[in-house]
Amino acid sequence: SKPIDIRELNTIMNTYVRDRNIDEHNKFKKNNFVKTEQTSVDMEKKLIEISQKDIKNTINFLKEKSPKENLKLFTTTVHGVKSVLASIGEEVASEKAAELENAGLDECLDFISEHIDDFINLLESILLKFCNEEIVYEEDELINEDTVFLLEQLNIIKEASENFDDAKIFEALEKLKTKSWQKETLNTIDKINDNLYLHSDFDQIIVDVEDLIKQYL
């Protein structure tokens, strides 16, 4: 398949997702939450949960995989966490991710090697802040899943896995993270995410996707 220009992808995503939905985007900025409203608390909970998972997956990926093994996937990964960090107000860390992304695009492995450990430490310190926050939430209620959207994205992931298109899988996973899912569905999505980030195991991703699809047909 044709290589993806991540700079172009970023521009397109900003134009069609962020810029056209700027009000919706801003609602998910951590500093904009009004904690006295239950809806805002629910949104903050969702944002924190998603951010924690993404940051954890990024840390695991950066520790397990050398950029030399798959520079494209490395660049895609730091591109994704860059947006996550910005959405929770971690602007300095987001800028560091952008520097690593640009280094990946420019194939500057020396720069990446020099700064990657400091970036991992920075991500771990952000996770530690999450752990130290004492936020109590009520038990999740029954979630009304958007099964049409779910099946659509799962089929995209399956087709992309068959073509070893990690960028397309990543894009579909990011879309799935914008919705609410039952615990079992979330676990499978997390498993797909791990198999992409940590193992690049496209065969296992296909198996997991097919199993999840069967549950909704």
Side-chain angles (χ1 to χ4, degrees):
S1 60
K2 182 180 177 182
I4 291 178
D5 186 330
I6 297 182
R7 284 193 179 102
E8 182 179 352
L9 175 62
N10 194 33
T11 300
I12 292 171
M13 292 297 287
N14 285 341
T15 300
Y16 288 94
V17 178
R18 186 196 66 193
D19 295 344
R20 290 193 177 189
N21 299 279
I22 191 69
D23 293 336
E24 192 69 21
H25 174 80
N26 286 337
K27 284 196 300 184
F28 282 89
K29 292 283 189 179
K30 186 176 181 181
N31 294 334
N32 287 344
F33 286 114
V34 181
K35 294 186 179 180
T36 57
E37 298 181 9
Q38 183 60 42
T39 53
S40 296
V41 173
D42 292 341
M43 288 167 62
E44 182 174 9
K45 177 186 176 183
K46 181 177 179 181
L47 175 63
I48 289 175
E49 288 176 347
I50 292 172
S51 300
Q52 281 181 303
K53 287 177 183 177
D54 284 344
I55 292 171
K56 284 178 182 177
N57 284 331
T58 300
I59 291 170
N60 291 334
F61 172 81
L62 295 177
K63 287 183 174 180
E64 295 285 337
K65 296 288 185 179
S66 167
K68 294 179 182 179
E69 294 179 34
N70 192 332
L71 187 57
K72 177 184 173 184
L73 185 55
F74 168 85
T75 307
T76 303
T77 300
V78 292
H79 170 83
V81 81
K82 175 187 70 176
S83 301
V84 171
L85 292 166
S87 73
I88 58 174
E90 297 289 346
E91 300 295 343
V92 172
S94 181
E95 289 172 6
K96 297 296 183 184
E99 291 174 2
L100 288 170
E101 178 189 0
N102 290 331
L105 292 168
D106 295 334
E107 300 183 0
C108 186
L109 290 171
D110 289 341
F111 179 91
I112 294 171
S113 297
E114 183 179 348
H115 293 89
I116 190 69
D117 288 339
D118 288 341
F119 184 62
I120 291 172
N121 291 336
L122 181 57
L123 293 180
E124 289 178 334
S125 70
I126 291 170
L127 275 185
L128 186 60
K129 281 198 297 185
F130 278 133
C131 294
N132 290 335
E133 290 181 359
E134 296 183 359
I135 302 176
V136 179
Y137 300 108
E138 295 180 0
E139 290 294 322
D140 290 334
E141 297 180 359
L142 185 64
I143 295 171
N144 185 19
E145 296 181 314
D146 186 345
T147 55
V148 174
F149 178 80
L150 175 64
L151 291 172
E152 176 185 89
Q153 297 307 314
L154 289 175
N155 280 305
I156 289 173
I157 291 172
K158 180 182 176 182
E159 182 179 350
S161 298
E162 291 169 347
N163 294 311
F164 307 104
D165 191 342
D166 43 34
K168 199 165 186 179
I169 299 171
F170 176 85
E171 183 181 350
L173 287 170
E174 289 301 295
K175 289 180 180 179
L176 286 171
K177 291 172 186 175
T178 65
K179 301 276 189 177
S180 297
W181 308 108
Q182 298 289 350
K183 184 176 180 180
E184 186 176 351
T185 305
L186 268 179
N187 288 340
T188 301
I189 292 172
D190 286 342
K191 188 177 178 183
I192 292 169
N193 201 67
D194 290 345
N195 280 321
L196 175 64
Y197 272 98
L198 304 180
H199 313 296
S200 297
D201 190 344
F202 296 102
D203 289 338
Q204 186 59 50
I205 290 173
I206 291 171
V207 171
D208 293 336
V209 167
E210 288 178 341
D211 287 344
L212 187 55
I213 289 174
K214 288 176 184 176
Q215 296 179 31
Y216 288 88
L217 294 179

mmCIF file with all atom_site columns, all heavy atoms in Angstrom, residues 183-207:
data_model
loop_
_atom_site.group_PDB
_atom_site.id
_atom_site.type_symbol
_atom_site.label_atom_id
_atom_site.label_alt_id
_atom_site.label_comp_id
_atom_site.label_asym_id
_atom_site.label_entity_id
_atom_site.label_seq_id
_atom_site.pdbx_PDB_ins_code
_atom_site.Cartn_x
_atom_site.Cartn_y
_atom_site.Cartn_z
_atom_site.occupancy
_atom_site.B_iso_or_equiv
_atom_site.pdbx_formal_charge
_atom_site.auth_seq_id
_atom_site.auth_comp_id
_atom_site.auth_asym_id
_atom_site.auth_atom_id
_atom_site.pdbx_PDB_model_num
ATOM 1   N N   . LYS A 1 183 ? -17.784 -3.400  29.066 1.00 0.00 ? 183 LYS A N   1
ATOM 2   C CA  . LYS A 1 183 ? -16.464 -3.810  29.538 1.00 0.00 ? 183 LYS A CA  1
ATOM 3   C C   . LYS A 1 183 ? -15.830 -4.863  28.635 1.00 0.00 ? 183 LYS A C   1
ATOM 4   O O   . LYS A 1 183 ? -14.646 -4.774  28.292 1.00 0.00 ? 183 LYS A O   1
ATOM 5   C CB  . LYS A 1 183 ? -16.571 -4.340  30.962 1.00 0.00 ? 183 LYS A CB  1
ATOM 6   C CG  . LYS A 1 183 ? -15.228 -4.697  31.572 1.00 0.00 ? 183 LYS A CG  1
ATOM 7   C CD  . LYS A 1 183 ? -15.388 -5.129  33.023 1.00 0.00 ? 183 LYS A CD  1
ATOM 8   C CE  . LYS A 1 183 ? -14.036 -5.479  33.633 1.00 0.00 ? 183 LYS A CE  1
ATOM 9   N NZ  . LYS A 1 183 ? -14.165 -5.914  35.049 1.00 0.00 ? 183 LYS A NZ  1
ATOM 10  N N   . GLU A 1 184 ? -16.601 -5.863  28.229 1.00 0.00 ? 184 GLU A N   1
ATOM 11  C CA  . GLU A 1 184 ? -16.062 -6.940  27.402 1.00 0.00 ? 184 GLU A CA  1
ATOM 12  C C   . GLU A 1 184 ? -15.583 -6.407  26.051 1.00 0.00 ? 184 GLU A C   1
ATOM 13  O O   . GLU A 1 184 ? -14.532 -6.807  25.547 1.00 0.00 ? 184 GLU A O   1
ATOM 14  C CB  . GLU A 1 184 ? -17.119 -8.025  27.190 1.00 0.00 ? 184 GLU A CB  1
ATOM 15  C CG  . GLU A 1 184 ? -16.583 -9.251  26.454 1.00 0.00 ? 184 GLU A CG  1
ATOM 16  C CD  . GLU A 1 184 ? -17.622 -10.355 26.347 1.00 0.00 ? 184 GLU A CD  1
ATOM 17  O OE1 . GLU A 1 184 ? -18.687 -10.230 26.986 1.00 0.00 ? 184 GLU A OE1 1
ATOM 18  O OE2 . GLU A 1 184 ? -17.369 -11.328 25.631 1.00 0.00 ? 184 GLU A OE2 1
ATOM 19  N N   . THR A 1 185 ? -16.365 -5.492  25.481 1.00 0.00 ? 185 THR A N   1
ATOM 20  C CA  . THR A 1 185 ? -15.976 -4.892  24.202 1.00 0.00 ? 185 THR A CA  1
ATOM 21  C C   . THR A 1 185 ? -14.707 -4.064  24.381 1.00 0.00 ? 185 THR A C   1
ATOM 22  O O   . THR A 1 185 ? -13.786 -4.133  23.553 1.00 0.00 ? 185 THR A O   1
ATOM 23  C CB  . THR A 1 185 ? -17.105 -3.997  23.664 1.00 0.00 ? 185 THR A CB  1
ATOM 24  O OG1 . THR A 1 185 ? -18.311 -4.763  23.589 1.00 0.00 ? 185 THR A OG1 1
ATOM 25  C CG2 . THR A 1 185 ? -16.763 -3.456  22.286 1.00 0.00 ? 185 THR A CG2 1
ATOM 26  N N   . LEU A 1 186 ? -14.655 -3.295  25.458 1.00 0.00 ? 186 LEU A N   1
ATOM 27  C CA  . LEU A 1 186 ? -13.463 -2.479  25.738 1.00 0.00 ? 186 LEU A CA  1
ATOM 28  C C   . LEU A 1 186 ? -12.223 -3.344  25.895 1.00 0.00 ? 186 LEU A C   1
ATOM 29  O O   . LEU A 1 186 ? -11.140 -2.985  25.415 1.00 0.00 ? 186 LEU A O   1
ATOM 30  C CB  . LEU A 1 186 ? -13.683 -1.674  27.016 1.00 0.00 ? 186 LEU A CB  1
ATOM 31  C CG  . LEU A 1 186 ? -14.263 -0.265  26.865 1.00 0.00 ? 186 LEU A CG  1
ATOM 32  C CD1 . LEU A 1 186 ? -14.438 0.359   28.237 1.00 0.00 ? 186 LEU A CD1 1
ATOM 33  C CD2 . LEU A 1 186 ? -13.385 0.610   25.984 1.00 0.00 ? 186 LEU A CD2 1
ATOM 34  N N   . ASN A 1 187 ? -12.375 -4.477  26.573 1.00 0.00 ? 187 ASN A N   1
ATOM 35  C CA  . ASN A 1 187 ? -11.231 -5.374  26.772 1.00 0.00 ? 187 ASN A CA  1
ATOM 36  C C   . ASN A 1 187 ? -10.672 -5.869  25.445 1.00 0.00 ? 187 ASN A C   1
ATOM 37  O O   . ASN A 1 187 ? -9.452  -5.961  25.264 1.00 0.00 ? 187 ASN A O   1
ATOM 38  C CB  . ASN A 1 187 ? -11.637 -6.562  27.647 1.00 0.00 ? 187 ASN A CB  1
ATOM 39  C CG  . ASN A 1 187 ? -11.854 -6.176  29.096 1.00 0.00 ? 187 ASN A CG  1
ATOM 40  O OD1 . ASN A 1 187 ? -11.375 -5.133  29.548 1.00 0.00 ? 187 ASN A OD1 1
ATOM 41  N ND2 . ASN A 1 187 ? -12.582 -7.001  29.832 1.00 0.00 ? 187 ASN A ND2 1
ATOM 42  N N   . THR A 1 188 ? -11.569 -6.190  24.511 1.00 0.00 ? 188 THR A N   1
ATOM 43  C CA  . THR A 1 188 ? -11.117 -6.651  23.200 1.00 0.00 ? 188 THR A CA  1
ATOM 44  C C   . THR A 1 188 ? -10.439 -5.524  22.432 1.00 0.00 ? 188 THR A C   1
ATOM 45  O O   . THR A 1 188 ? -9.407  -5.731  21.783 1.00 0.00 ? 188 THR A O   1
ATOM 46  C CB  . THR A 1 188 ? -12.294 -7.205  22.375 1.00 0.00 ? 188 THR A CB  1
ATOM 47  O OG1 . THR A 1 188 ? -12.901 -8.287  23.091 1.00 0.00 ? 188 THR A OG1 1
ATOM 48  C CG2 . THR A 1 188 ? -11.818 -7.711  21.019 1.00 0.00 ? 188 THR A CG2 1
ATOM 49  N N   . ILE A 1 189 ? -10.996 -4.323  22.512 1.00 0.00 ? 189 ILE A N   1
ATOM 50  C CA  . ILE A 1 189 ? -10.384 -3.167  21.844 1.00 0.00 ? 189 ILE A CA  1
ATOM 51  C C   . ILE A 1 189 ? -8.992  -2.918  22.417 1.00 0.00 ? 189 ILE A C   1
ATOM 52  O O   . ILE A 1 189 ? -8.037  -2.649  21.677 1.00 0.00 ? 189 ILE A O   1
ATOM 53  C CB  . ILE A 1 189 ? -11.278 -1.921  21.994 1.00 0.00 ? 189 ILE A CB  1
ATOM 54  C CG1 . ILE A 1 189 ? -12.580 -2.113  21.201 1.00 0.00 ? 189 ILE A CG1 1
ATOM 55  C CG2 . ILE A 1 189 ? -10.545 -0.667  21.514 1.00 0.00 ? 189 ILE A CG2 1
ATOM 56  C CD1 . ILE A 1 189 ? -13.612 -1.024  21.438 1.00 0.00 ? 189 ILE A CD1 1
ATOM 57  N N   . ASP A 1 190 ? -8.859  -3.030  23.747 1.00 0.00 ? 190 ASP A N   1
ATOM 58  C CA  . ASP A 1 190 ? -7.552  -2.862  24.384 1.00 0.00 ? 190 ASP A CA  1
ATOM 59  C C   . ASP A 1 190 ? -6.573  -3.941  23.922 1.00 0.00 ? 190 ASP A C   1
ATOM 60  O O   . ASP A 1 190 ? -5.382  -3.674  23.703 1.00 0.00 ? 190 ASP A O   1
ATOM 61  C CB  . ASP A 1 190 ? -7.691  -2.929  25.906 1.00 0.00 ? 190 ASP A CB  1
ATOM 62  C CG  . ASP A 1 190 ? -8.324  -1.674  26.483 1.00 0.00 ? 190 ASP A CG  1
ATOM 63  O OD1 . ASP A 1 190 ? -8.338  -0.642  25.777 1.00 0.00 ? 190 ASP A OD1 1
ATOM 64  O OD2 . ASP A 1 190 ? -8.816  -1.727  27.618 1.00 0.00 ? 190 ASP A OD2 1
ATOM 65  N N   . LYS A 1 191 ? -7.075  -5.147  23.772 1.00 0.00 ? 191 LYS A N   1
ATOM 66  C CA  . LYS A 1 191 ? -6.228  -6.256  23.330 1.00 0.00 ? 191 LYS A CA  1
ATOM 67  C C   . LYS A 1 191 ? -5.732  -6.015  21.905 1.00 0.00 ? 191 LYS A C   1
ATOM 68  O O   . LYS A 1 191 ? -4.552  -6.252  21.597 1.00 0.00 ? 191 LYS A O   1
ATOM 69  C CB  . LYS A 1 191 ? -7.017  -7.571  23.402 1.00 0.00 ? 191 LYS A CB  1
ATOM 70  C CG  . LYS A 1 191 ? -6.188  -8.812  23.139 1.00 0.00 ? 191 LYS A CG  1
ATOM 71  C CD  . LYS A 1 191 ? -7.030  -10.071 23.306 1.00 0.00 ? 191 LYS A CD  1
ATOM 72  C CE  . LYS A 1 191 ? -6.216  -11.324 22.990 1.00 0.00 ? 191 LYS A CE  1
ATOM 73  N NZ  . LYS A 1 191 ? -7.054  -12.547 23.075 1.00 0.00 ? 191 LYS A NZ  1
ATOM 74  N N   . ILE A 1 192 ? -6.619  -5.545  21.043 1.00 0.00 ? 192 ILE A N   1
ATOM 75  C CA  . ILE A 1 192 ? -6.228  -5.213  19.671 1.00 0.00 ? 192 ILE A CA  1
ATOM 76  C C   . ILE A 1 192 ? -5.163  -4.124  19.697 1.00 0.00 ? 192 ILE A C   1
ATOM 77  O O   . ILE A 1 192 ? -4.157  -4.174  18.974 1.00 0.00 ? 192 ILE A O   1
ATOM 78  C CB  . ILE A 1 192 ? -7.452  -4.744  18.860 1.00 0.00 ? 192 ILE A CB  1
ATOM 79  C CG1 . ILE A 1 192 ? -8.427  -5.914  18.652 1.00 0.00 ? 192 ILE A CG1 1
ATOM 80  C CG2 . ILE A 1 192 ? -7.027  -4.170  17.506 1.00 0.00 ? 192 ILE A CG2 1
ATOM 81  C CD1 . ILE A 1 192 ? -9.780  -5.505  18.109 1.00 0.00 ? 192 ILE A CD1 1
ATOM 82  N N   . ASN A 1 193 ? -5.401  -3.132  20.546 1.00 0.00 ? 193 ASN A N   1
ATOM 83  C CA  . ASN A 1 193 ? -4.452  -2.021  20.693 1.00 0.00 ? 193 ASN A CA  1
ATOM 84  C C   . ASN A 1 193 ? -3.068  -2.531  21.106 1.00 0.00 ? 193 ASN A C   1
ATOM 85  O O   . ASN A 1 193 ? -2.044  -2.133  20.538 1.00 0.00 ? 193 ASN A O   1
ATOM 86  C CB  . ASN A 1 193 ? -4.989  -1.052  21.731 1.00 0.00 ? 193 ASN A CB  1
ATOM 87  C CG  . ASN A 1 193 ? -4.403  0.330   21.602 1.00 0.00 ? 193 ASN A CG  1
ATOM 88  O OD1 . ASN A 1 193 ? -4.657  1.014   20.617 1.00 0.00 ? 193 ASN A OD1 1
ATOM 89  N ND2 . ASN A 1 193 ? -3.625  0.741   22.572 1.00 0.00 ? 193 ASN A ND2 1
ATOM 90  N N   . ASP A 1 194 ? -3.034  -3.433  22.095 1.00 0.00 ? 194 ASP A N   1
ATOM 91  C CA  . ASP A 1 194 ? -1.766  -3.984  22.576 1.00 0.00 ? 194 ASP A CA  1
ATOM 92  C C   . ASP A 1 194 ? -1.071  -4.808  21.493 1.00 0.00 ? 194 ASP A C   1
ATOM 93  O O   . ASP A 1 194 ? 0.154   -4.741  21.335 1.00 0.00 ? 194 ASP A O   1
ATOM 94  C CB  . ASP A 1 194 ? -2.001  -4.856  23.810 1.00 0.00 ? 194 ASP A CB  1
ATOM 95  C CG  . ASP A 1 194 ? -2.389  -4.031  25.026 1.00 0.00 ? 194 ASP A CG  1
ATOM 96  O OD1 . ASP A 1 194 ? -2.193  -2.804  24.995 1.00 0.00 ? 194 ASP A OD1 1
ATOM 97  O OD2 . ASP A 1 194 ? -2.902  -4.616  26.000 1.00 0.00 ? 194 ASP A OD2 1
ATOM 98  N N   . ASN A 1 195 ? -1.849  -5.601  20.769 1.00 0.00 ? 195 ASN A N   1
ATOM 99  C CA  . ASN A 1 195 ? -1.253  -6.426  19.717 1.00 0.00 ? 195 ASN A CA  1
ATOM 100 C C   . ASN A 1 195 ? -0.685  -5.582  18.581 1.00 0.00 ? 195 ASN A C   1
ATOM 101 O O   . ASN A 1 195 ? 0.247   -6.004  17.899 1.00 0.00 ? 195 ASN A O   1
ATOM 102 C CB  . ASN A 1 195 ? -2.282  -7.422  19.168 1.00 0.00 ? 195 ASN A CB  1
ATOM 103 C CG  . ASN A 1 195 ? -2.440  -8.635  20.067 1.00 0.00 ? 195 ASN A CG  1
ATOM 104 O OD1 . ASN A 1 195 ? -1.462  -9.141  20.608 1.00 0.00 ? 195 ASN A OD1 1
ATOM 105 N ND2 . ASN A 1 195 ? -3.667  -9.100  20.242 1.00 0.00 ? 195 ASN A ND2 1
ATOM 106 N N   . LEU A 1 196 ? -1.237  -4.389  18.396 1.00 0.00 ? 196 LEU A N   1
ATOM 107 C CA  . LEU A 1 196 ? -0.694  -3.478  17.391 1.00 0.00 ? 196 LEU A CA  1
ATOM 108 C C   . LEU A 1 196 ? 0.559   -2.798  17.929 1.00 0.00 ? 196 LEU A C   1
ATOM 109 O O   . LEU A 1 196 ? 1.614   -2.825  17.295 1.00 0.00 ? 196 LEU A O   1
ATOM 110 C CB  . LEU A 1 196 ? -1.736  -2.430  17.002 1.00 0.00 ? 196 LEU A CB  1
ATOM 111 C CG  . LEU A 1 196 ? -1.246  -1.334  16.035 1.00 0.00 ? 196 LEU A CG  1
ATOM 112 C CD1 . LEU A 1 196 ? -0.858  -1.935  14.693 1.00 0.00 ? 196 LEU A CD1 1
ATOM 113 C CD2 . LEU A 1 196 ? -2.306  -0.255  15.859 1.00 0.00 ? 196 LEU A CD2 1
ATOM 114 N N   . TYR A 1 197 ? 0.442   -2.178  19.116 1.00 0.00 ? 197 TYR A N   1
ATOM 115 C CA  . TYR A 1 197 ? 1.548   -1.396  19.680 1.00 0.00 ? 197 TYR A CA  1
ATOM 116 C C   . TYR A 1 197 ? 2.752   -2.266  20.036 1.00 0.00 ? 197 TYR A C   1
ATOM 117 O O   . TYR A 1 197 ? 3.895   -1.921  19.734 1.00 0.00 ? 197 TYR A O   1
ATOM 118 C CB  . TYR A 1 197 ? 1.088   -0.679  20.953 1.00 0.00 ? 197 TYR A CB  1
ATOM 119 C CG  . TYR A 1 197 ? 0.464   0.676   20.731 1.00 0.00 ? 197 TYR A CG  1
ATOM 120 C CD1 . TYR A 1 197 ? -0.920  0.825   20.698 1.00 0.00 ? 197 TYR A CD1 1
ATOM 121 C CD2 . TYR A 1 197 ? 1.245   1.813   20.578 1.00 0.00 ? 197 TYR A CD2 1
ATOM 122 C CE1 . TYR A 1 197 ? -1.498  2.067   20.518 1.00 0.00 ? 197 TYR A CE1 1
ATOM 123 C CE2 . TYR A 1 197 ? 0.677   3.054   20.390 1.00 0.00 ? 197 TYR A CE2 1
ATOM 124 C CZ  . TYR A 1 197 ? -0.705  3.184   20.362 1.00 0.00 ? 197 TYR A CZ  1
ATOM 125 O OH  . TYR A 1 197 ? -1.267  4.406   20.189 1.00 0.00 ? 197 TYR A OH  1
ATOM 126 N N   . LEU A 1 198 ? 2.495   -3.366  20.730 1.00 0.00 ? 198 LEU A N   1
ATOM 127 C CA  . LEU A 1 198 ? 3.581   -4.123  21.338 1.00 0.00 ? 198 LEU A CA  1
ATOM 128 C C   . LEU A 1 198 ? 4.119   -5.246  20.462 1.00 0.00 ? 198 LEU A C   1
ATOM 129 O O   . LEU A 1 198 ? 5.297   -5.579  20.545 1.00 0.00 ? 198 LEU A O   1
ATOM 130 C CB  . LEU A 1 198 ? 3.118   -4.718  22.680 1.00 0.00 ? 198 LEU A CB  1
ATOM 131 C CG  . LEU A 1 198 ? 2.574   -3.706  23.698 1.00 0.00 ? 198 LEU A CG  1
ATOM 132 C CD1 . LEU A 1 198 ? 2.161   -4.427  24.974 1.00 0.00 ? 198 LEU A CD1 1
ATOM 133 C CD2 . LEU A 1 198 ? 3.610   -2.631  23.996 1.00 0.00 ? 198 LEU A CD2 1
ATOM 134 N N   . HIS A 1 199 ? 3.258   -5.843  19.650 1.00 0.00 ? 199 HIS A N   1
ATOM 135 C CA  . HIS A 1 199 ? 3.664   -7.053  18.946 1.00 0.00 ? 199 HIS A CA  1
ATOM 136 C C   . HIS A 1 199 ? 3.549   -6.981  17.422 1.00 0.00 ? 199 HIS A C   1
ATOM 137 O O   . HIS A 1 199 ? 4.118   -7.832  16.734 1.00 0.00 ? 199 HIS A O   1
ATOM 138 C CB  . HIS A 1 199 ? 2.835   -8.245  19.448 1.00 0.00 ? 199 HIS A CB  1
ATOM 139 C CG  . HIS A 1 199 ? 2.745   -8.337  20.934 1.00 0.00 ? 199 HIS A CG  1
ATOM 140 N ND1 . HIS A 1 199 ? 3.846   -8.553  21.739 1.00 0.00 ? 199 HIS A ND1 1
ATOM 141 C CD2 . HIS A 1 199 ? 1.684   -8.222  21.778 1.00 0.00 ? 199 HIS A CD2 1
ATOM 142 C CE1 . HIS A 1 199 ? 3.471   -8.579  22.999 1.00 0.00 ? 199 HIS A CE1 1
ATOM 143 N NE2 . HIS A 1 199 ? 2.170   -8.373  23.062 1.00 0.00 ? 199 HIS A NE2 1
ATOM 144 N N   . SER A 1 200 ? 2.807   -6.018  16.907 1.00 0.00 ? 200 SER A N   1
ATOM 145 C CA  . SER A 1 200 ? 2.510   -5.964  15.462 1.00 0.00 ? 200 SER A CA  1
ATOM 146 C C   . SER A 1 200 ? 1.990   -7.324  14.987 1.00 0.00 ? 200 SER A C   1
ATOM 147 O O   . SER A 1 200 ? 2.362   -7.806  13.907 1.00 0.00 ? 200 SER A O   1
ATOM 148 C CB  . SER A 1 200 ? 3.750   -5.551  14.659 1.00 0.00 ? 200 SER A CB  1
ATOM 149 O OG  . SER A 1 200 ? 4.168   -4.253  15.003 1.00 0.00 ? 200 SER A OG  1
ATOM 150 N N   . ASP A 1 201 ? 1.140   -7.935  15.820 1.00 0.00 ? 201 ASP A N   1
ATOM 151 C CA  . ASP A 1 201 ? 0.613   -9.274  15.540 1.00 0.00 ? 201 ASP A CA  1
ATOM 152 C C   . ASP A 1 201 ? -0.711  -9.142  14.779 1.00 0.00 ? 201 ASP A C   1
ATOM 153 O O   . ASP A 1 201 ? -1.801  -9.185  15.361 1.00 0.00 ? 201 ASP A O   1
ATOM 154 C CB  . ASP A 1 201 ? 0.418   -10.037 16.852 1.00 0.00 ? 201 ASP A CB  1
ATOM 155 C CG  . ASP A 1 201 ? 0.107   -11.514 16.635 1.00 0.00 ? 201 ASP A CG  1
ATOM 156 O OD1 . ASP A 1 201 ? -0.259  -11.875 15.492 1.00 0.00 ? 201 ASP A OD1 1
ATOM 157 O OD2 . ASP A 1 201 ? 0.217   -12.286 17.602 1.00 0.00 ? 201 ASP A OD2 1
ATOM 158 N N   . PHE A 1 202 ? -0.610  -9.000  13.476 1.00 0.00 ? 202 PHE A N   1
ATOM 159 C CA  . PHE A 1 202 ? -1.797  -8.763  12.653 1.00 0.00 ? 202 PHE A CA  1
ATOM 160 C C   . PHE A 1 202 ? -2.708  -9.997  12.611 1.00 0.00 ? 202 PHE A C   1
ATOM 161 O O   . PHE A 1 202 ? -3.929  -9.854  12.554 1.00 0.00 ? 202 PHE A O   1
ATOM 162 C CB  . PHE A 1 202 ? -1.382  -8.363  11.237 1.00 0.00 ? 202 PHE A CB  1
ATOM 163 C CG  . PHE A 1 202 ? -0.628  -7.061  11.188 1.00 0.00 ? 202 PHE A CG  1
ATOM 164 C CD1 . PHE A 1 202 ? 0.751   -7.045  11.055 1.00 0.00 ? 202 PHE A CD1 1
ATOM 165 C CD2 . PHE A 1 202 ? -1.293  -5.848  11.284 1.00 0.00 ? 202 PHE A CD2 1
ATOM 166 C CE1 . PHE A 1 202 ? 1.450   -5.845  11.025 1.00 0.00 ? 202 PHE A CE1 1
ATOM 167 C CE2 . PHE A 1 202 ? -0.614  -4.650  11.256 1.00 0.00 ? 202 PHE A CE2 1
ATOM 168 C CZ  . PHE A 1 202 ? 0.771   -4.643  11.131 1.00 0.00 ? 202 PHE A CZ  1
ATOM 169 N N   . ASP A 1 203 ? -2.120  -11.180 12.653 1.00 0.00 ? 203 ASP A N   1
ATOM 170 C CA  . ASP A 1 203 ? -2.932  -12.401 12.634 1.00 0.00 ? 203 ASP A CA  1
ATOM 171 C C   . ASP A 1 203 ? -3.825  -12.483 13.871 1.00 0.00 ? 203 ASP A C   1
ATOM 172 O O   . ASP A 1 203 ? -5.009  -12.834 13.778 1.00 0.00 ? 203 ASP A O   1
ATOM 173 C CB  . ASP A 1 203 ? -2.032  -13.646 12.565 1.00 0.00 ? 203 ASP A CB  1
ATOM 174 C CG  . ASP A 1 203 ? -1.360  -13.796 11.209 1.00 0.00 ? 203 ASP A CG  1
ATOM 175 O OD1 . ASP A 1 203 ? -1.885  -13.229 10.222 1.00 0.00 ? 203 ASP A OD1 1
ATOM 176 O OD2 . ASP A 1 203 ? -0.309  -14.461 11.140 1.00 0.00 ? 203 ASP A OD2 1
ATOM 177 N N   . GLN A 1 204 ? -3.260  -12.164 15.038 1.00 0.00 ? 204 GLN A N   1
ATOM 178 C CA  . GLN A 1 204 ? -4.045  -12.214 16.270 1.00 0.00 ? 204 GLN A CA  1
ATOM 179 C C   . GLN A 1 204 ? -5.106  -11.115 16.281 1.00 0.00 ? 204 GLN A C   1
ATOM 180 O O   . GLN A 1 204 ? -6.213  -11.320 16.793 1.00 0.00 ? 204 GLN A O   1
ATOM 181 C CB  . GLN A 1 204 ? -3.136  -12.066 17.489 1.00 0.00 ? 204 GLN A CB  1
ATOM 182 C CG  . GLN A 1 204 ? -3.853  -12.243 18.815 1.00 0.00 ? 204 GLN A CG  1
ATOM 183 C CD  . GLN A 1 204 ? -4.520  -13.597 18.945 1.00 0.00 ? 204 GLN A CD  1
ATOM 184 O OE1 . GLN A 1 204 ? -3.889  -14.627 18.711 1.00 0.00 ? 204 GLN A OE1 1
ATOM 185 N NE2 . GLN A 1 204 ? -5.796  -13.615 19.318 1.00 0.00 ? 204 GLN A NE2 1
ATOM 186 N N   . ILE A 1 205 ? -4.789  -9.975  15.723 1.00 0.00 ? 205 ILE A N   1
ATOM 187 C CA  . ILE A 1 205 ? -5.774  -8.891  15.630 1.00 0.00 ? 205 ILE A CA  1
ATOM 188 C C   . ILE A 1 205 ? -6.979  -9.352  14.817 1.00 0.00 ? 205 ILE A C   1
ATOM 189 O O   . ILE A 1 205 ? -8.131  -9.115  15.195 1.00 0.00 ? 205 ILE A O   1
ATOM 190 C CB  . ILE A 1 205 ? -5.147  -7.633  14.993 1.00 0.00 ? 205 ILE A CB  1
ATOM 191 C CG1 . ILE A 1 205 ? -4.131  -7.010  15.960 1.00 0.00 ? 205 ILE A CG1 1
ATOM 192 C CG2 . ILE A 1 205 ? -6.227  -6.607  14.649 1.00 0.00 ? 205 ILE A CG2 1
ATOM 193 C CD1 . ILE A 1 205 ? -3.339  -5.868  15.368 1.00 0.00 ? 205 ILE A CD1 1
ATOM 194 N N   . ILE A 1 206 ? -6.727  -10.034 13.714 1.00 0.00 ? 206 ILE A N   1
ATOM 195 C CA  . ILE A 1 206 ? -7.819  -10.534 12.868 1.00 0.00 ? 206 ILE A CA  1
ATOM 196 C C   . ILE A 1 206 ? -8.693  -11.521 13.652 1.00 0.00 ? 206 ILE A C   1
ATOM 197 O O   . ILE A 1 206 ? -9.928  -11.465 13.599 1.00 0.00 ? 206 ILE A O   1
ATOM 198 C CB  . ILE A 1 206 ? -7.251  -11.213 11.600 1.00 0.00 ? 206 ILE A CB  1
ATOM 199 C CG1 . ILE A 1 206 ? -6.608  -10.162 10.688 1.00 0.00 ? 206 ILE A CG1 1
ATOM 200 C CG2 . ILE A 1 206 ? -8.362  -11.957 10.845 1.00 0.00 ? 206 ILE A CG2 1
ATOM 201 C CD1 . ILE A 1 206 ? -5.844  -10.741 9.523  1.00 0.00 ? 206 ILE A CD1 1
ATOM 202 N N   . VAL A 1 207 ? -8.049  -12.418 14.402 1.00 0.00 ? 207 VAL A N   1
ATOM 203 C CA  . VAL A 1 207 ? -8.789  -13.403 15.205 1.00 0.00 ? 207 VAL A CA  1
ATOM 204 C C   . VAL A 1 207 ? -9.670  -12.699 16.234 1.00 0.00 ? 207 VAL A C   1
ATOM 205 O O   . VAL A 1 207 ? -10.862 -13.013 16.388 1.00 0.00 ? 207 VAL A O   1
ATOM 206 C CB  . VAL A 1 207 ? -7.814  -14.364 15.915 1.00 0.00 ? 207 VAL A CB  1
ATOM 207 C CG1 . VAL A 1 207 ? -8.570  -15.237 16.923 1.00 0.00 ? 207 VAL A CG1 1
ATOM 208 C CG2 . VAL A 1 207 ? -7.099  -15.240 14.901 1.00 0.00 ? 207 VAL A CG2 1
#
